[in-house]
Each structure stands twice: as C-alpha cells, then as structure tokens.
Amino acid sequence: MKANFVEIIIAIAVSLLIAYGLYSFHDSENKILLSVGSFVFLAVTLIFTIGTSFELPRTTTNVRVTSGIFFVIGLISNLIFTFLDFSVPSYILINGILLLVFILIAYLVNKAKQ
C-alpha cells in the first residue's frame, strides 16, 4: 500500500468540515459523539478512497469503489443521526459495525491480490 500524503491531508480536511457541519446542525447532548464518530468514519473511508494506492491497479480500483460506497453509506447514516434524537449505544453500534465491515472488506480485497 502506498500513501499519498497531500491527498490524505485533503481527505482529513474534508472529513473535518463535514463533521463540523454535522455538529452545527445537531441540537442534542450527543453533538461531540456525532462529530467525532462521523469524523473517524468519514476520514478512514475517504483516505482509502483518494489517499492510497495498492500494488495492483485492480486492487486499487476495488478498494476505492468499496471505500466510496461506505463513505456514502456513512455520510447518509450520520445525516440521519444528525436530525434524529439517538442513544449513544445505537450510534456506536451502527457506525462501529459499518466501519468494521468496511475494514474487513478492504482487507480481504487487498489480500486477494487480483
């Protein structure tokens, strides 16, 4: 895996801006959890979408497509949580499972070496 640091910095900055936007629109006591959780989820997926490349072009394409799909899913999930009153365990469970499934799929795609 090869990391492009300029693109990683851009991915982190975009994730920070999105997390701040979600923080601004949410009105309950879980604002910090929502902003930190959305930043972590969106940063991880966006870094793999635009900031990394792999040895084989096919692996790079598959990981980027998977990362892009999970980025959109995470964005939609966090937007839903922004406008709903949610409990801490439900937020952590849903986003944690989504993030772990993404990491597992990206690992398996990279391990396949196709």
Side-chain angles (χ1 to χ4, degrees):
M1 183 175 93
K2 181 181 169 189
N4 186 341
F5 292 108
V6 173
E7 292 173 355
I8 288 175
I9 291 170
I10 291 170
I12 290 172
V14 168
S15 299
L16 275 171
L17 290 172
I18 292 172
Y20 176 71
L22 295 174
Y23 175 85
S24 298
F25 287 119
H26 192 67
D27 289 333
S28 80
E29 65 218 19
N30 297 327
K31 289 175 92 162
I32 301 295
L33 174 68
L34 178 69
S35 60
V36 170
S38 64
F39 169 71
V40 169
F41 191 97
L42 297 175
V44 169
T45 55
L46 201 56
I47 286 171
F48 277 98
T49 303
I50 64 173
T52 58
S53 60
F54 295 87
E55 296 172 9
L56 301 171
R58 187 172 181 177
T59 302
T60 302
T61 302
N62 288 336
V63 170
R64 284 185 178 178
V65 168
T66 304
S67 301
I69 290 170
F70 273 89
F71 177 80
V72 170
I73 290 171
L75 186 60
I76 291 170
S77 168
N78 284 301
L79 280 172
I80 290 170
F81 280 119
T82 298
F83 297 111
L84 296 178
D85 193 24
F86 60 90
S87 66
V88 173
S90 66
Y91 181 80
I92 292 173
L93 284 173
I94 290 172
N95 281 323
I97 289 171
L98 283 173
L99 186 62
L100 290 175
V101 166
F102 161 69
I103 292 170
L104 176 66
I105 292 172
Y107 170 75
L108 291 175
V109 167
N110 184 34
K111 188 178 173 184
K113 303 266 186 210
Q114 289 188 0

